[in-house]
Amino acid sequence: MIKFLDLKAINESYEPELSQSIKRVLDSGWYLKGKETEAFEKEYSNFIGAKNCIGVANGLDALRLIFKAYIEMGIMFEGDEIIVPANTYIASILSITDNRLKPILVEPNINTYQIDETLIEQAISPRTKAIMIVHLYGQCAYTERIGELCNKYNIKLIEDNAQANGCEYTTKNAKGSIMTGSIGDAAGHSFYPGKNLGCLGDGGAVTTNNDELADVIRSIANYGSGEKYVFKYQGLNSRLDEMQAAILRTKLIRLKEDNQRRKNIAKYYIENIENPNIDLPQVNDWNSHVFHIFTIRCKQRDTLQEYLSEQGIQTLIHYPIPPHKQQAYIEWNHLSFPVAELIHNEELSLPMSPVMSIEEQKEVVDVINSFTLKFSFDS
């Protein structure tokens, strides 16, 4: 069986350092708001290139806290609109509605799966306060046009960086690159175990260059308190614990190397999958994609997935139901977003991890290439 993501093998590849980091926390006797979290926040903010990093409980909380802080600061108000891609994971949208803000869904680009920059301006209204870009599947969603729109309409740029730890954006003037998570006004990060930078449980972070925003987020995440037993805000309990911080510190050291392995696998897939019925990712800038997920599209996706499973290859679908068709947002069920729906109906995620062997990669390619020999693709 070729696993979609072999977490056990991934974590074993960090030994003995991973066990040593865990023992370091156990020996310290300190488990929350300690030196490990402080050190990770500093190391991750340096890695991302942002002034501030606040460790929180998970990626959803990271996004929720950004909006909640903007509301506390009087920058956003209940009913304000946030533009967000229609094909994102539901957490992006939950963070908006949890704060009684209004998501405005915009179709993705069929080639990149990222929000379609050409459709954003027509979705902007006097109530628009932010554009949330989602670096979906590990690919940078930012474009110069999006930045221009934020400046033109004086709206915030929020990054959902949950799937893109270590991804870069190459600046237009070719003077260099910057990390996703440092492009916008604030960014939410997830360290769920399956992420490119994953801990051994839930974890997340907010990064921002805005010191005031960072202070408000840090207080809200600690019950609304910046000073012990003094509560300025009606806050949450959302903190990254010492154990997860120590684990993340260990893994952060190798993140660029692991991402390069993912890129090498993606390149092998793209260069060797030759099935005309498979739509492969289009990569214009290899710095701008860290392949958290390697996604293909196939008109008979479910049949292909079943065939791969029969051949011992595990795959996943990201995601089978778009947000506007979910029961949680039943008021949107009548809406039509054809591009997003096409992606959700055809998307299939192939095995991808930094511990995949070349033999496993070759087997995946060979099985996919053989699929046309066994099945008809007539619609």
Side-chain angles (χ1 to χ4, degrees), residues 33 107 188 194 200 207 275 293 317:
K33 297 188 68 177
E107 287 269 51
L200 299 187
T207 53
N275 189 318
I293 294 168
I317 298 170

PDB file of all heavy atoms in Angstrom, residues 33 107 188 194 200 207 275 293 317:
ATOM      1  N   LYS A  33       2.768  28.648  27.600  1.00  0.00           N
ATOM      2  CA  LYS A  33       3.298  30.006  27.664  1.00  0.00           C
ATOM      3  C   LYS A  33       4.707  30.027  28.263  1.00  0.00           C
ATOM      4  O   LYS A  33       5.000  30.807  29.169  1.00  0.00           O
ATOM      5  CB  LYS A  33       2.354  30.921  28.452  1.00  0.00           C
ATOM      6  CG  LYS A  33       0.976  31.078  27.817  1.00  0.00           C
ATOM      7  CD  LYS A  33       0.140  32.140  28.536  1.00  0.00           C
ATOM      8  CE  LYS A  33       0.724  33.520  28.306  1.00  0.00           C
ATOM      9  NZ  LYS A  33      -0.107  34.588  28.931  1.00  0.00           N
ATOM     10  N   GLU A 107     -15.210  33.065  -7.665  1.00  0.00           N
ATOM     11  CA  GLU A 107     -14.740  31.869  -8.377  1.00  0.00           C
ATOM     12  C   GLU A 107     -13.212  31.807  -8.439  1.00  0.00           C
ATOM     13  O   GLU A 107     -12.531  32.834  -8.495  1.00  0.00           O
ATOM     14  CB  GLU A 107     -15.277  31.867  -9.810  1.00  0.00           C
ATOM     15  CG  GLU A 107     -16.749  31.557  -9.940  1.00  0.00           C
ATOM     16  CD  GLU A 107     -17.011  30.070 -10.126  1.00  0.00           C
ATOM     17  OE1 GLU A 107     -16.496  29.267  -9.330  1.00  0.00           O
ATOM     18  OE2 GLU A 107     -17.754  29.733 -11.080  1.00  0.00           O
ATOM     19  N   GLY A 188      -3.007  33.625   8.751  1.00  0.00           N
ATOM     20  CA  GLY A 188      -3.258  32.499   9.639  1.00  0.00           C
ATOM     21  C   GLY A 188      -2.535  31.266   9.134  1.00  0.00           C
ATOM     22  O   GLY A 188      -2.535  30.987   7.935  1.00  0.00           O
ATOM     23  N   GLY A 194      -0.792  16.821   9.307  1.00  0.00           N
ATOM     24  CA  GLY A 194      -0.544  16.532   7.899  1.00  0.00           C
ATOM     25  C   GLY A 194       0.028  17.675   7.102  1.00  0.00           C
ATOM     26  O   GLY A 194       0.334  17.515   5.910  1.00  0.00           O
ATOM     27  N   LEU A 200       2.253  17.384  16.472  1.00  0.00           N
ATOM     28  CA  LEU A 200       1.665  16.086  16.813  1.00  0.00           C
ATOM     29  C   LEU A 200       0.301  16.268  17.463  1.00  0.00           C
ATOM     30  O   LEU A 200      -0.054  15.580  18.416  1.00  0.00           O
ATOM     31  CB  LEU A 200       2.603  15.288  17.723  1.00  0.00           C
ATOM     32  CG  LEU A 200       3.976  14.961  17.144  1.00  0.00           C
ATOM     33  CD1 LEU A 200       4.741  14.018  18.076  1.00  0.00           C
ATOM     34  CD2 LEU A 200       3.887  14.356  15.749  1.00  0.00           C
ATOM     35  N   THR A 207       0.731  35.540  11.886  1.00  0.00           N
ATOM     36  CA  THR A 207       1.879  36.405  11.645  1.00  0.00           C
ATOM     37  C   THR A 207       1.375  37.739  11.109  1.00  0.00           C
ATOM     38  O   THR A 207       0.414  37.797  10.349  1.00  0.00           O
ATOM     39  CB  THR A 207       2.883  35.795  10.650  1.00  0.00           C
ATOM     40  OG1 THR A 207       2.205  35.407   9.442  1.00  0.00           O
ATOM     41  CG2 THR A 207       3.569  34.582  11.250  1.00  0.00           C
ATOM     42  N   ASN A 275      -1.213  10.475 -19.197  1.00  0.00           N
ATOM     43  CA  ASN A 275      -2.583  10.078 -19.470  1.00  0.00           C
ATOM     44  C   ASN A 275      -3.351  11.301 -19.980  1.00  0.00           C
ATOM     45  O   ASN A 275      -3.496  12.293 -19.266  1.00  0.00           O
ATOM     46  CB  ASN A 275      -3.231   9.551 -18.184  1.00  0.00           C
ATOM     47  CG  ASN A 275      -4.574   8.909 -18.426  1.00  0.00           C
ATOM     48  OD1 ASN A 275      -5.375   9.412 -19.196  1.00  0.00           O
ATOM     49  ND2 ASN A 275      -4.821   7.794 -17.744  1.00  0.00           N
ATOM     50  N   ILE A 293      -0.448  19.573  -1.303  1.00  0.00           N
ATOM     51  CA  ILE A 293      -1.289  18.587  -1.982  1.00  0.00           C
ATOM     52  C   ILE A 293      -0.941  18.608  -3.467  1.00  0.00           C
ATOM     53  O   ILE A 293      -0.825  19.683  -4.065  1.00  0.00           O
ATOM     54  CB  ILE A 293      -2.786  18.912  -1.787  1.00  0.00           C
ATOM     55  CG1 ILE A 293      -3.177  18.762  -0.309  1.00  0.00           C
ATOM     56  CG2 ILE A 293      -3.667  18.008  -2.651  1.00  0.00           C
ATOM     57  CD1 ILE A 293      -4.534  19.330   0.023  1.00  0.00           C
ATOM     58  N   ILE A 317      -9.721  13.248  -1.705  1.00  0.00           N
ATOM     59  CA  ILE A 317     -10.386  14.287  -2.483  1.00  0.00           C
ATOM     60  C   ILE A 317     -10.407  15.568  -1.657  1.00  0.00           C
ATOM     61  O   ILE A 317     -10.883  15.594  -0.530  1.00  0.00           O
ATOM     62  CB  ILE A 317     -11.826  13.874  -2.843  1.00  0.00           C
ATOM     63  CG1 ILE A 317     -11.820  12.621  -3.714  1.00  0.00           C
ATOM     64  CG2 ILE A 317     -12.556  15.024  -3.548  1.00  0.00           C
ATOM     65  CD1 ILE A 317     -13.192  12.014  -3.923  1.00  0.00           C
TER      66      ILE A 317
END
